[in-house]
Amino acid sequence: MEQARQIHDRYYEIADKHLSNVGLANTFQAKTGVPKVYGALGASALVVSMVFFNIAAPLLVNLAGFGYAAYATMNAIESPGKEDDAQWLTY
């Protein structure tokens, strides 16, 4: 049991370090008091459950496919370089 606890703590620290760079995760933790790692795991479990049980799966998949492409395109247009513009505007 101690070995499982050590593995949990190690991965918890890694996830917490990476989530510290995400403003929404920090706001979530400050407002709710729930650790941001548990919030991210809960949100991920909710999305996976919704896709697995086919609840709003088309919406989630389309948002991921279209939403990310739109976001990356806008970032490419706003960036000073031209090499990423050709990739994302062609897509």
Side-chain angles (χ1 to χ4, degrees), residues 16-66:
D16 189 54
K17 184 176 97 173
H18 287 290
L19 286 171
S20 294
N21 298 330
V22 179
L24 182 63
N26 292 325
T27 303
F28 172 80
Q29 182 173 342
K31 287 188 176 184
T32 63
V34 176
K36 55 188 159 235
V37 175
Y38 296 149
L41 285 173
S44 299
L46 178 67
V47 169
V48 168
S49 298
M50 290 176 74
V51 171
F52 182 76
F53 292 112
N54 204 20
I55 304 168
L59 173 66
L60 292 171
V61 171
N62 287 334
L63 279 176
F66 175 75

Side-chain angles (χ1 to χ4, degrees), residues 60-80:
L60 292 171
V61 171
N62 287 334
L63 279 176
F66 175 75
Y68 177 72
Y71 173 76
T73 300
M74 292 306 295
N75 280 344
I77 291 171
E78 292 175 355
S79 70

